[in-house]
Each structure stands twice: as structure tokens, then as C-alpha cells.
Amino acid sequence: MAVYSMTGYASAQSSPPAGAAGHEGAKATPSGRLGLEIRSVNSRFLDLAFRLGDELRASEPALRELIAGRLKRGKVEVRAAIEAPAGADLREPTPRMLQRLGAVQDNVRGWLPDAPALSVAEILRLASMDGAVDVDWGEAVQTVAKQALADLLAAREREGARLATMLLGHLGQLRELAQQARPLVPQLVEQQRQRFLERWKEAMGLAEGSATPEAAQDRALTEATAYAIRIDVAEELTRLAAHLDEIERLIKKGGEIGKRLDFLIQELHREANTLGSKSAALELTRISVDMKVLIEQMREQVQNIE
């Protein structure tokens, strides 16, 4: 199953439905072209917003059901409108229509004397609406929406594949850093053990025999052991490796993995922080910082995965 991003864009257009007729049995005239576009960005849940023209508002419930059946997460905006055919706004009113508009205007102003007169722009707009085809766009909206939705899913799949490749690359880098960190702790423990022994030998010389060499050595080894426990990061590295394996498994599995990946990224960050807090060497601190940089980059990418 593929990995899907929540970011994508698609659009589709359609001609008016065939077979529509104008008023008084006149020959059908084009009512315009239906255009629909879908934009989506990341969101914790599925958040749908519609910007539909007045002729298309009745299609919103069907559109909502269609999109909710295919998308699970993301802030999705759907815009649809009817684009008037070329030249529709410049349709010249007939004398009969002008006479009709004049009569209607006189009638209105007889009741409302303060009503403003019709402007040229308003007359041209009314002329373009006269004899307009009464079109049911419901079926066309569904057809166009399905096409746009298929294109959106394809775009989200392509972006998801790119994100998956980047995440797998970061996983490889984190594993390399973990391998660099593993041998550092035993080396640090042995170095510190030698330092403790040297200090206690010096202390024995200053104490002039007030303590036995065996007791001094035992004390040094006890301190070294406590130090080793304090800086031991083997458990953190083991958990980090387990999280990396689970993230890789989820990416290869695909599907709705965004929320689980987000949780695992938080766990990775926790282990890298603990690794840094236990650091007893500059090299280990550098590894911890490099890990956190990579994990933060992964977190930003995971935010876009469905």
C-alpha cells in the first residue's frame, strides 16, 4: 500500500449537460463551463471546506460524502463555479426586452419613487440571463469531482512516495550515528576506571598508609561502576533501534500511518535527548545533536503524511 501525503492540488472542467432547453422551447444555449478544484494541506483530522457557486450549492452534501469516502486526513478546500460562455456578458438586449424592462422599472418606481434607475451594466447582465438554460449540474458535478479527486490522490501519492524515500534515507543516517555511539561508552568507562585508580593511588600516597591498597582499589572500582551506570546509553540505543525498525516497517506497509509515525518520532526525540544528557564525551554530544537535527527534519515530513 502506498504512502500518501496530505498536500496536493487538482482541478477538472466540464461542459454543460446536453439536452437542456431554453424558455419557450428555444434551442438550447450553453450555460457555461463547470470548473472544480481541490486543494489539500496537512491537518490532524479531515477538515472540509466548500466554496461553491449559487447554482452548485445543492451538490455540497454529495461532494462531502464523496470526498470523505476517499480522504481520511487533511484540510481540504473545494471550489466550484460555472464560468459563463465567451461573449455572454455582451449579449445585446432586444427591443422587446428593453420595453419589458422599462415597463417593470416604471411599475417598481410607481411604488418606490426613490428606487434608482437601471444602469447599462445591469441591463446587459439581465439581457445575458434572459433565456438562459435551466441546467441541472448535479451529475456533472459528480463526474468532475471524481476526476479531480482521482488526480488529487495521484498527486498525494507521488508526494507521499517522495516523503517515504526521504524518511528511509534519514533512518539510514540515524542507524549510522547509533553505530558510532555504541563503542564510545565502553571506552569512556575504561578511561574513567583508570582515572579513578590513579586518583586513589595518589590519595593513598598522601594518606601515608591510613588506608589499605585493597580498600582503595575497591573504592575506585565502586566509583567507576557507578559512573558506568550513569553514562550507560545501551538501553537508549536499543530502544532507538527498535523505533527505527518500526518506522521503516510502517513506511513499507503504507496506508494511514501518519499518526503512528508522529508518535514514534516523539519517542525518537526522547531517546536522542537522553543520549545527550548522559553524554560524557564531546563526540557523543555531537552524535546526539546530529540525531536531533535528523529527527526534527523527519518530524516536519511526517506532519504531511496521511
Side-chain angles (χ1 to χ4, degrees), residues 267-285:
E267 294 301 305
L268 282 182
H269 202 276
R270 191 194 316 277
E271 303 305 337
N273 271 335
T274 305
L275 191 68
S277 65
K278 288 187 174 183
S279 173
L282 186 60
E283 181 64 14
L284 200 57
T285 301

Side-chain angles (χ1 to χ4, degrees), residues 7-269:
T7 302
Y9 170 83
S11 64
Q13 294 79 36
S14 172
S15 298
H23 295 298
E24 300 177 357
K27 183 180 178 181
T29 57
S31 295
R33 184 179 63 175
L34 168 63
L36 184 144
E37 61 180 25
I38 307 177
R39 302 174 186 269
S40 68
V41 295
N42 61 308
S43 176
R44 289 177 57 85
F45 308 100
L46 181 61
D47 182 7
L48 300 178
F50 294 88
R51 304 288 185 271
L52 306 178
D54 292 338
E55 310 93 329
L56 307 174
R57 292 192 184 280
S59 300
E60 180 175 332
L63 283 174
R64 185 178 296 274
E65 182 178 358
L66 174 66
I67 295 172
R70 301 294 301 275
L71 305 180
K72 302 304 178 185
R73 293 179 65 197
K75 182 177 177 60
V76 182
E77 182 181 44
V78 180
R79 291 179 178 269
I82 306 299
E83 180 183 350
D89 293 337
L90 299 178
R91 181 178 178 184
E92 184 177 352
T94 63
R96 180 182 176 185
M97 182 183 181
L98 290 174
Q99 183 179 10
R100 225 168 62 209
L101 287 174
V104 171
Q105 177 176 252
D106 291 341
N107 188 31
V108 170
R109 298 185 76 178
W111 289 92
L112 303 171
D114 295 332
L118 289 171
S119 67
V120 173
E122 290 170 335
I123 292 173
L124 290 175
R125 180 174 59 83
L126 292 170
S128 66
M129 295 171 59
D130 184 50
V133 179
D134 186 12
V135 175
D136 180 8
W137 290 93
E139 184 177 349
V141 168
Q142 283 291 304
T143 301
V144 171
K146 289 176 181 177
Q147 179 185 342
L149 188 56
D151 292 343
L152 177 70
L153 288 169
R156 286 169 60 135
E157 182 177 357
R158 289 193 299 270
E159 177 67 13
R162 187 184 69 83
L163 292 176
T165 300
M166 294 177 65
L167 288 172
L168 291 174
H170 286 354
L171 292 180
Q173 295 179 58
L174 286 171
R175 287 194 173 101
E176 291 178 6
L177 291 171
Q179 288 299 321
Q180 295 174 21
R182 287 187 184 279
L184 292 178
V185 174
Q187 295 173 11
L188 292 170
V189 171
E190 181 58 28
Q191 292 172 6
Q192 193 64 25
R193 176 178 173 277
Q194 293 299 326
R195 291 196 191 99
F196 277 131
L197 289 173
E198 290 171 4
R199 290 177 183 176
W200 279 104
K201 287 178 181 178
E202 293 175 1
M204 282 295 300
L206 295 174
E208 298 179 353
S210 60
T212 62
E214 293 79 6
Q217 187 175 14
D218 290 343
R219 180 65 182 275
L221 292 176
T222 301
E223 293 289 341
T225 301
Y227 175 79
I229 294 173
R230 190 167 64 251
I231 69 167
D232 184 21
V233 293
E235 186 177 348
E236 284 75 15
L237 291 176
T238 299
R239 286 198 298 264
L240 188 140
H243 296 328
L244 294 178
D245 291 342
E246 179 63 10
I247 290 174
E248 183 175 2
R249 186 190 71 81
L250 288 173
I251 291 173
K252 291 181 177 179
K253 174 187 174 184
E256 300 169 29
I257 60 175
K259 291 184 178 180
R260 296 187 66 181
L261 286 179
D262 189 51
F263 171 76
L264 289 168
I265 292 298
Q266 294 179 36
E267 294 301 305
L268 282 182
H269 202 276

